[in-house]
Amino acid sequence: MSQSLDAIVPHGGHLINRIATPDQRQEFLDKAAHLPIVELDERSLSDLELIAIGGFSPLTGFMGQADYKTVVDQMHLSNGLPWSIPITLSVSEEVASNLKEGGLVRLDSPGGEFVGVLELTEKYSYDKETEALKVYRTTDEKHPGVKVVYDQGGINLAGPVWLLERQSHPYFPKYQIDPAESRAIFREKGWKTIVGFQTRNPIHRAHEYIQKCALETVDGLFLHPLVGATKSDDIPADVRMRCYEILIDHYYPKQRVILAINPAAMRYAGPREAIFHALVRKNYGCTHFIVGRDHAGVGDYYGTYDAQYIFDEFEPGELGITPMMFEHAFYCKVTEGMATSKTSPSSPEQRVHLSGTKVRELLRRGELPPPEFSRPEVANELIKAMKTNNQ
């Protein structure tokens, strides 16, 4: 079946595939010993992977200067298509000086494995403070996304890329569902409307509530946790994945939920990352995307609903995916169930507010989060993981 029968077309019109064919791969391997090498960090490696599998369609490689500038300044590619986060490969001036535009660059993983090739079309310098201020809304180096920008090299390398081969995920191979495959699954199930959910935390009761509210109005839920680089104090991906499995086994209609991993790294760019996350899920085949409280936020850098307001900066239909906006959900002591201020008659003191931060604090103290916070099976899994990590 063609992409035209999918519920939604990929961003830019077609799904990009930059995975080398067996012949291309052999050709690159034959040249490997003679190519200049750039070693990718964990984030660049996941960017390479997402470009190659079409998760970052319409990008075919790392951004050139024209796209970089319009994305940073206007949240659009130079051709006018919405895009909110610069996808760049930054190196030091010393490394850049040894690379020739028009040549091939060998891309190695942080472990030194040959993983991809860059067709170098351009080298350009950029202003780190401008990128920090416009993308992250702060120049504070304590912000984890800003710190990455300040720590990386001052020259961006641009050009199309090739991933040498698509390898199975070392920890979650059964959940490695790439965009072409997720689209095929949605077609097979006959889903016309699919809502995507982004998470880097275990799902607590507030998340479950808004997912199920969304699921009342669409055909399927695409539960798509991010398993790339995150902050050191975020709960590890393997623990989070076990929690998602437990929830789906006990509390969700299995035939209406698909769990898959998103190999992306977390940028913590708040509002801009909400747009970015929506466009990536559009490429995976989602027609809708849940945007909750403080999406992709960190600390107090963003207002509670800034990640929802930013969608108003785009023309209706311009993004091509429908955001589903949810207020902060809580446990209502009056109705004895989950609710938001839109549906609950309670006063503030009759509400139990949940947050991933609160859950982490309880777990660190060895306390089981109450059932209003977290499903008991999930809480037990988190406590067990916390004890193991502390031994």
Side-chain angles (χ1 to χ4, degrees):
M1 292 175 91
S2 70
Q3 281 180 189
S4 62
L5 297 176
D6 288 350
I8 189 170
V9 296
H11 199 48
H14 70 279
L15 203 60
I16 298 298
N17 177 0
R18 303 293 295 184
I19 302 169
T21 63
D23 286 350
Q24 283 174 313
R25 181 171 177 269
Q26 191 55 53
E27 189 184 325
F28 291 143
L29 288 170
D30 291 344
K31 293 177 179 174
H34 309 289
L35 296 179
I37 297 172
V38 166
E39 188 175 296
L40 303 176
D41 60 17
E42 194 179 352
R43 187 167 96 173
S44 299
L45 181 61
S46 63
D47 286 348
L48 167 66
E49 188 178 330
L50 276 149
I51 293 166
I53 64 176
F56 285 174
S57 298
L59 303 189
T60 57
F62 291 104
M63 284 180 180
Q65 190 167 23
D67 280 333
Y68 171 80
K69 284 194 160 174
T70 54
V71 166
V72 169
D73 291 340
Q74 303 158 27
M75 291 194 293
H76 287 76
L77 296 169
S78 56
N79 65 5
L81 202 64
W83 196 270
S84 57
I85 297 279
I87 304 298
T88 54
L89 176 57
S90 306
V91 297
S92 67
E93 290 189 19
E94 184 187 1
V95 169
S97 66
N98 295 319
L99 306 174
K100 290 189 176 64
E101 291 176 354
L104 296 179
V105 177
R106 170 178 158 170
L107 302 176
D108 279 12
S109 72
E113 183 192 356
F114 180 21
V115 291
V117 169
L118 167 70
E119 298 172 10
L120 184 62
T121 57
E122 200 180 347
K123 301 185 283 188
Y124 60 95
S125 58
Y126 64 103
D127 188 308
K128 294 184 178 187
E129 280 208 357
T130 300
E131 180 176 331
L133 192 57
K134 293 194 172 178
V135 176
Y136 298 97
R137 300 190 179 185
T138 179
T139 55
D140 183 358
E141 61 188 29
K142 292 190 185 75
H143 183 294
V146 171
K147 186 175 188 320
V148 169
V149 175
Y150 287 173
D151 287 351
Q152 68 194 16
I155 304 293
N156 285 340
L157 306 180
V161 296
W162 292 100
L163 183 68
L164 222 54
E165 65 177 320
R166 187 71 176 118
Q167 295 181 333
S168 287
H169 194 280
Y171 306 115
F172 316 114
K174 81 184 239 197
Y175 295 117
Q176 183 176 281
I177 300 173
D178 291 346
E181 192 183 350
S182 58
R183 287 171 167 272
I185 293 169
F186 300 158
R187 284 198 302 268
E188 196 181 297
K189 288 179 172 289
W191 291 355
K192 301 292 182 205
T193 49
I194 305 101
V195 65
F197 185 81
Q198 151 69 28
T199 179
R200 70 174 197 265
N201 287 312
I203 290 171
H204 52 61
R205 294 289 300 277
H207 294 143
E208 182 186 333
Y209 174 73
I210 63 174
Q211 286 170 20
K212 287 179 175 174
C213 284
L215 198 45
E216 291 286 4
T217 66
V218 297
D219 298 331
L221 169 68
F222 190 55
L223 186 55
H224 204 209
L226 183 146
V227 298
T230 57
K231 294 193 283 80
S232 58
D233 63 342
D234 279 344
I235 289 171
D238 59 326
V239 178
R240 292 186 280 124
M241 289 300 288
R242 288 200 298 275
C243 292
Y244 305 140
E245 290 171 333
I246 288 166
L247 270 177
I248 291 171
D249 283 347
H250 292 89
Y251 297 103
Y252 283 69
K254 286 194 187 70
Q255 73 282 8
R256 294 191 63 204
V257 183
I258 291 168
L259 174 62
I261 54 170
N262 175 8
M266 196 70 203
R267 262 116 173 142
Y268 304 97
R272 282 213 186 204
E273 197 160 8
I275 299 292
F276 178 58
H277 283 163
L279 295 176
V280 169
R281 277 26 179 254
K282 175 186 177 183
N283 285 328
Y284 275 85
C286 296
T287 56
H288 294 70
F289 182 65
I290 292 170
V291 187
R293 167 187 165 275
D294 196 24
H295 185 105
V298 62
D300 298 318
Y301 293 101
Y302 312 111
T304 307
Y305 294 108
D306 283 359
Q308 297 183 357
Y309 302 148
I310 196 171
F311 282 82
D312 295 334
E313 297 181 33
F314 294 85
E315 295 295 321
E318 190 182 7
L319 296 172
I321 183 169
T322 305
M324 298 181 86
M325 314 290 197
F326 286 93
E327 291 198 3
H328 189 24
F330 49 79
Y331 182 84
C332 169
K333 292 179 180 177
V334 176
T335 59
E336 297 183 339
M338 298 304 300
T340 71
S341 55
K342 286 182 174 177
T343 55
S344 169
S346 60
S347 57
E349 63 275 7
Q350 295 169 312
R351 300 171 180 179
V352 180
H353 282 281
L354 326 174
S355 77
T357 308
K358 270 188 185 173
V359 170
R360 284 196 295 272
E361 282 171 6
L362 287 168
L363 293 172
R364 281 195 196 101
R365 295 202 298 265
E367 296 174 28
L368 202 64
E372 298 90 350
F373 259 49
S374 183
R375 295 292 188 182
E377 297 91 339
V378 171
N380 284 326
E381 185 62 40
L382 291 170
I383 283 276
K384 189 170 78 181
M386 200 63 79
K387 282 178 180 165
T388 304
N389 287 344
N390 290 337
Q391 280 173 0

